[in-house]
Amino acid sequence: MRFLATVPFRILFTLCVALLLNACSSRDIEDYQGSTPNLDLKQFFEGSLTAHGVVEDFSGHVVRRFTVKMFAHWDGDNGEIKEWFIYDDGEKQTRIWNIISLGEGNYSGGANDILGDATGRAVGMALQWEYEMLLPVDDSEYQVRFDDWMYLVDENTIINRSDIIKFGITMAQVTLVITKQPSADFSDMTIAID
């Protein structure tokens, strides 16, 4: 009887502490007001770029590594970013973002595997994206929420950190470094989706 009373309390206590810590540690994009250099998606995401990243599970263990080739182009306030992913296990994936600059650092966008609209706001050297996505895992797909943060290091480098959230809990994190490649041209690249 004592065991039954203790176990639910421990689980409930651990869950409450985790939720409290998560609430206390939430970031606010306005914290980056006045930081430099200013992150402007139209300036950074233009032409050819590459990225290298890792996916960590909830315990911080790296479970996947990947590289991405990107080609971005803007026509006024409308941008397109093509992404070609190659994972360490050989899987290939393609995503095409269509992004609209709404002015004053606000953006909206969508892609083939994004549910609804992604919304973003840039302040100073940071940008936060939020969106829901169908995430393929093995032979299934899971609907998850991404809390996606980009930090402009210099005119050629962004560090991107994403929390993958399900039921309000961070299940995994993605970290990648995005670098402009002025001498490369990926505009005609094609990689089939597996």
Side-chain angles (χ1 to χ4, degrees):
M1 187 73 148
R2 183 175 169 201
F3 173 77
L4 293 175
T6 306
V7 171
F9 175 76
R10 287 182 183 167
I11 292 170
L12 182 61
F13 179 76
T14 303
L15 183 59
C16 288
V17 169
L19 291 172
L20 182 61
L21 288 174
N22 191 37
C24 292
S25 65
S26 62
R27 297 165 279 184
D28 186 342
I29 191 66
E30 296 301 329
D31 292 343
Y32 297 97
Q33 191 70 251
S35 63
T36 58
N38 286 325
L39 174 50
D40 181 341
L41 288 188
K42 291 168 67 173
Q43 287 182 340
F44 188 86
F45 287 96
E46 181 65 45
S48 299
L49 306 100
T50 58
H52 298 84
V54 294
V55 180
E56 299 169 78
D57 66 15
F58 64 91
S59 68
H61 181 73
V62 173
V63 293
R64 293 192 94 179
R65 293 166 287 137
F66 61 92
T67 59
V68 191
K69 291 187 178 181
M70 304 178 193
F71 186 78
H73 177 68
W74 289 81
D75 183 8
D77 289 330
N78 298 302
E80 180 183 74
I81 303 173
K82 297 178 181 177
E83 301 176 325
W84 297 276
F85 293 78
I86 301 177
Y87 292 89
D88 58 333
D89 61 3
E91 180 186 352
K92 296 176 182 176
Q93 199 176 51
T94 302
R95 179 175 298 121
I96 300 175
W97 282 97
N98 291 295
I99 299 173
I100 301 170
S101 173
L102 304 172
E104 298 183 9
N106 295 299
Y107 299 90
S108 69
N112 47 308
D113 52 357
I114 302 302
L115 302 172
D117 291 330
T119 58
R121 177 158 171 74
V123 174
M125 58 88 170
L127 178 135
Q128 180 190 20
W129 272 113
E130 289 187 294
Y131 51 91
E132 293 198 357
M133 177 180 178
L134 287 176
L135 185 67
V137 178
D138 298 324
D139 294 329
S140 301
E141 284 187 327
Y142 298 91
Q143 183 173 338
V144 296
R145 184 171 67 84
F146 272 71
D147 185 15
D148 201 352
W149 288 78
M150 295 183 184
Y151 304 101
L152 184 63
V153 177
D154 58 40
E155 63 183 16
N156 294 314
T157 312
I158 280 179
I159 295 177
N160 190 166
R161 180 91 171 161
S162 303
D163 290 339
I164 302 173
I165 300 164
K166 181 77 175 169
F167 303 123
I169 299 169
T170 299
M171 306 301 291
Q173 293 182 319
V174 180
T175 304
L176 65 155
V177 177
I178 305 170
T179 308
K180 292 176 75 75
Q181 302 294 324
S183 60
D185 183 2
F186 305 136
S187 59
D188 293 328
M189 186 171 185
T190 56
I191 297 178
I193 301 174
D194 286 345

